[in-house]
Amino acid sequence: MELAGLSVSQAVYRVHPPSSGKDVLVICGPGNNGGDGLVAARHLAHYGYKPSVYYPKQGKNELYQRLKIQLENLSVPFISDLPVAIKSADFLVDAIFGFSFGGPLREPFPTIISQIETASIPVLSVDAPSSWDIESGPPKEGPGSKFMPEALISLTAPKPCVKYYKGRHFLGGRFLTKSIADKYKLDLPEYPGIEQIVEVGVNAEGRL
């Protein structure tokens, strides 16, 4: 989770450097995806951003509570009014649901995802756009049906739903062992230098 969150923070820095606006809103879900977001927020604070966190259903695992304490020690605010926070943010990280999401959405998440979907600021989603089915992509209707974040970071390996995605796509998975990569026959890219991420594919503008 530490290396996954570090990868997320590096993807944010790549698509939205501090010079583009330092107010980054990280929306976290109750599971591992939310934990990745909490770690990313900590790194963003150290990079010079001014992150804030919306964490409506907090994970009960002690690990998540420790990650929250680390953010509180850095004076990273946990906000309660999401619409106001979105209006004042420069960038948004969607760390609500990832690989384990199987639906259906339950409140407060349909409302939250609708607010993200209609936000006028850029969004980076972690592992998969929240509300998307890992296999079949965006829902046919309802919250998330028109959700297409500007950037996506796939952790470990791209999920099948990435074939429905259009935007900048990053991979963060330098933490995998060779035995795991061989076991699942993963064709992993070369990571440059000490980077935890690599940009893959071609986005809508045709850039590699």
Side-chain angles (χ1 to χ4, degrees):
M1 186 171 290
E2 279 294 323
L3 291 175
L6 176 60
S7 300
V8 172
S9 71
Q10 288 192 357
V12 172
Y13 195 92
R14 185 79 63 86
V15 300
H16 186 82
S19 59
S20 298
K22 295 182 179 181
D23 291 319
V24 177
L25 173 61
V26 184
I27 303 180
C28 297
N32 287 343
N33 205 251
D36 296 339
L38 295 174
V39 173
R42 173 170 20 100
H43 287 295
L44 292 171
H46 287 303
Y47 297 165
Y49 291 91
K50 295 188 291 184
S52 57
V53 176
Y54 184 61
Y55 198 18
K57 283 202 171 183
Q58 299 182 17
K60 297 180 180 178
N61 189 303
E62 182 184 356
L63 170 63
Y64 304 131
Q65 298 306 312
R66 290 180 177 181
L67 294 175
K68 183 182 176 186
I69 289 171
Q70 288 178 316
L71 288 171
E72 291 170 342
N73 289 340
L74 287 169
S75 299
V76 172
F78 283 76
I79 59 95
S80 58
D81 193 329
L82 181 59
V84 170
I86 289 176
K87 288 180 181 178
S88 62
D90 301 306
F91 192 83
L92 193 152
V93 176
D94 158 31
I96 304 174
F97 300 121
F99 178 71
S100 60
F101 176 71
L105 289 171
R106 296 181 177 86
E107 288 295 349
F109 297 109
T111 299
I112 292 169
I113 289 170
S114 293
Q115 291 170 336
I116 297 174
E117 190 173 27
T118 57
S120 59
I121 56 175
V123 177
L124 177 140
S125 287
V126 177
D127 220 20
S130 290
S131 80
W132 283 32
D133 183 272
I134 289 299
E135 296 286 341
S136 58
K140 302 300 182 185
E141 59 184 7
S145 60
K146 296 181 180 179
F147 181 31
M148 187 66 66
E150 282 74 8
L152 170 70
I153 179 165
S154 297
L155 298 173
T156 307
K159 311 308 182 286
C161 65
V162 76
K163 63 186 176 182
Y164 300 100
Y165 175 70
K166 297 178 181 179
R168 295 186 70 177
H169 181 206
F170 296 87
L171 179 64
R174 200 166 190 168
F175 40 83
L176 285 181
T177 63
K178 185 177 185 302
S179 61
I180 292 293
D182 291 344
K183 179 180 179 179
Y184 293 100
K185 298 179 181 179
L186 299 176
D187 183 16
L188 301 177
E190 291 292 329
Y191 289 84
I194 60 172
E195 293 285 340
Q196 291 291 321
I197 62 170
V198 62
E199 188 165 5
V200 294
V202 178
N203 70 6
E205 290 74 34
R207 183 175 63 247
L208 292 174

